[in-house]
Amino acid sequence: LYTGTDMYSLRDMEQLYTGELITTLTTAVGLCMKHVSSCLVCSGRGFICELCKDRRPVYPFNLDTSSQCSECLTVFHSSCAAGLSTCPKCERLEARSLNWHVTNSKLARETAGS
C-alpha cells in the first residue's frame, strides 16, 4: 500500500481484516500531517482560500474541511466553496485565454493589412 494505491498485498488484506490497517494508516496520516505543518517547504505548498482570504493554508488532504476544483485543482475551504457555482480561478484563466485570442486576432489583422 505504501508503494502504490492501486495494488494491495496479502499483508494489506490481512491488516484490513484484523483492523490493523486503519491504525497503520491513521498513524501514517498523522506523521505526514505533522511533517507538513513543521516543514517549511511542504507547508508552503498549501493553498490560501481565495474566497475568504484566510492566511492559514488549506491542504487538499484535509478532506473534512477542504474542497478542490476538479479542473484547475485549486483548494478552498468546504464552507466557502459550498455556495460556488463556478471556480474563480477557472473564470480568470478562461478570461485570460479569451483576451489572448482577441489580442492575437487584432495583431494578425494589423500585420495582414500592412
Side-chain angles (χ1 to χ4, degrees):
L1 189 59
Y2 290 113
T3 58
T5 57
D6 295 331
M7 188 180 341
Y8 300 94
S9 69
L10 189 54
R11 178 165 167 76
D12 294 334
M13 293 298 148
E14 288 173 350
Q15 285 185 334
L16 181 62
Y17 180 75
T18 63
E20 275 183 76
L21 187 60
I22 193 72
T23 304
T24 302
L25 292 176
T26 301
T27 302
V29 168
L31 289 171
C32 291
M33 290 177 79
K34 183 179 177 185
H35 169 79
V36 168
S37 64
S38 64
C39 174
L40 188 60
V41 174
C42 294
S43 63
R45 296 192 186 273
F47 292 79
I48 299 299
C49 178
E50 67 177 87
L51 301 174
C52 70
K53 310 283 194 261
D54 187 343
R55 301 297 304 163
R56 290 173 292 185
V58 182
Y59 298 99
F61 57 78
N62 288 338
L63 301 176
D64 295 338
T65 59
S66 67
S67 296
Q68 189 169 27
C69 174
S70 59
E71 296 296 318
C72 70
L73 305 179
T74 297
V75 179
F76 308 99
H77 295 111
S78 294
S79 56
C80 297
L84 279 182
S85 58
T86 59
C87 170
K89 183 175 180 181
C90 287
E91 287 178 351
R92 281 195 312 276
L93 293 173
E94 189 175 325
R96 283 185 199 145
S97 177
L98 180 60
N99 188 31
W100 182 84
H101 287 295
V102 168
T103 302
N104 279 346
S105 177
K106 286 180 182 177
L107 287 174
R109 279 184 272 151
E110 288 173 3
T111 56
S114 303

